[in-house]
Amino acid sequence: MQSTIKEENQSAQMTSALLEGIYKNAKMGSQALLSLLPKVADSELRRDLTAQLDGYEGYANQAESYLCELGEQAKEIGLLQKMTAKAGIGINTLMDSDTSHLAEMVIEGSNMNVTESVKLLREYENCHVPEKALRLCRDMIDFEQKNVEIMQRYL
C-alpha cells in the first residue's frame, strides 16, 4: 500500500515535470513569435507565423489544463527570460529583417524546441507517466518539425 502511494506520487511529479516542460517550450515559442511578428512585412510569412502562434498557445493551454487536472498550476516564464528573448530578437533583426532571415530565426527556435522536447520525452517515456502527457509531447515535436518544413519555403 505504502509503495503504491509512493509510486503514484512519483508518477504525478514526473507527469507534472513533463507538462511543465511542454508548457515552457510552448510559451517560449509563443513569446518569440509575438516579438517577431511586428517585424514581418511578408503577408504569407505573417499568416504562417500567426498559425504557428495559435499552435503554441494550443499546446500551452493543453499542458496547463492537464496540470490543473493534477492539482498543479503552470509556472509562467520569468520576466528576465522574456526580456532576454525579446532583446535577442530585436538585436537579431536590427540589421536584417528580410523574410529569409526571419524564417531562419524561426527554424532555429523550432529546432531548439524539438531538442528540448525530445529530451523531455526520453526522460519520461519509460516512467509511469500517462500516455496522454507523452502524446502531447510527441504531438508538439511533430508540430515543431512541421513548422521547420513550412519555414524552409521562405529561405
Side-chain angles (χ1 to χ4, degrees):
M1 179 81 155
Q2 193 104 31
S3 69
T4 304
I5 293 171
K6 186 177 180 181
E7 287 173 8
E8 287 175 8
N9 285 341
Q10 285 179 326
S11 175
Q13 288 173 344
M14 288 185 277
T15 303
S16 291
L18 174 59
L19 292 168
E20 278 292 337
I22 294 168
Y23 181 81
K24 177 184 163 251
N25 287 345
K27 282 304 217 178
M28 285 300 293
S30 179
Q31 192 67 40
L33 290 180
L34 286 171
S35 296
L36 192 62
L37 275 167
K39 301 170 184 313
V40 177
D42 183 280
S43 61
E44 285 185 42
L45 179 59
R46 177 177 292 283
R47 182 198 66 225
D48 286 338
L49 293 179
T50 301
Q52 189 173 336
L53 176 61
D54 291 343
Y56 281 130
E57 288 300 320
Y59 284 105
N61 290 338
Q62 288 179 64
E64 184 175 34
S65 174
Y66 196 3
L67 281 164
C68 285
E69 288 176 23
L70 298 173
E72 300 283 330
Q73 190 170 12
K75 295 175 187 83
E76 291 300 320
I77 300 168
L79 183 60
L80 180 62
Q81 216 173 359
K82 284 181 184 179
M83 290 176 58
T84 302
K86 189 171 185 159
I89 289 169
I91 291 168
N92 211 335
T93 58
L94 193 60
M95 300 297 275
D96 187 359
S97 62
D98 70 294
T99 299
S100 176
H101 181 67
L102 298 177
E104 184 179 348
M105 289 173 60
V106 173
I107 289 169
E108 288 172 8
S110 289
N111 283 332
M112 285 189 329
N113 267 352
V114 167
T115 300
E116 289 301 314
S117 296
V118 168
K119 285 180 185 178
L120 283 169
L121 184 62
R122 296 296 176 253
E123 185 174 350
Y124 296 109
E125 69 184 341
N126 293 319
C127 301
H128 298 287
V129 173
E131 182 58 33
K132 178 179 175 180
L134 296 171
R135 189 174 340 107
L136 183 61
C137 191
R138 287 185 195 106
D139 289 349
M140 186 153 168
I141 292 167
D142 290 343
F143 167 75
E144 290 286 17
Q145 290 171 331
K146 287 176 185 155
N147 290 337
V148 169
E149 290 173 19
I150 290 168
M151 288 298 110
Q152 286 174 342
R153 295 189 320 227
Y154 296 99
L155 296 178

